[in-house]
Amino acid sequence: MLYLCDGSLRTVPVFHRSGHKQAMVAVGKTLAGIFYTMVKEKKEYDATIYSKHRKQVLDRSIERLQAKILRLQSESATCTCS
């Protein structure tokens, strides 16, 4: 599996869902996209951009899960099952 020192690129979630080969392809595509952008824009890699995006993704996931919890709680409160 591929890990960077700051932990920004990880294959763990993809590896557990789809297998080692697909995880490596996913990481390769990510690295290719980063490299292409760096060459095209003539900029150095900035890990803070990825970490900001990752935080936004996690925040949205948390919001969706909290909404789902509230919906399930209201459904279970109105359930007349015994």
Side-chain angles (χ1 to χ4, degrees):
M1 288 184 219
L2 178 65
Y3 291 92
L4 294 182
C5 59
D6 64 347
S8 60
L9 293 176
R10 297 178 293 173
T11 60
V12 174
V14 176
F15 176 73
H16 287 298
R17 286 181 297 196
S18 5
H20 182 70
K21 290 181 181 180
Q22 287 182 343
M24 295 306 290
V25 169
V27 170
K29 289 176 88 173
T30 301
L31 289 174
I34 291 170
F35 183 72
Y36 175 77
T37 303
M38 287 171 50
V39 170
K40 184 174 123 183
E41 297 179 4
K42 296 181 176 135
K43 293 183 179 180
E44 292 185 14
Y45 177 70
D46 185 9
T48 59
I49 294 171
Y50 178 80
S51 63
K52 287 178 187 176
H53 173 70
R54 182 71 181 147
K55 184 179 180 330
Q56 291 172 348
V57 169
L58 291 174
D59 289 342
R60 283 194 303 261
S61 295
I62 290 169
E63 289 174 6
R64 281 195 306 268
L65 289 171
Q66 288 174 338
K68 188 173 185 177
I69 288 170
L70 291 173
R71 188 175 67 247
L72 290 171
Q73 286 175 339
S74 66
E75 287 177 6
S76 66
T78 60
C79 182
T80 57
C81 306
S82 30

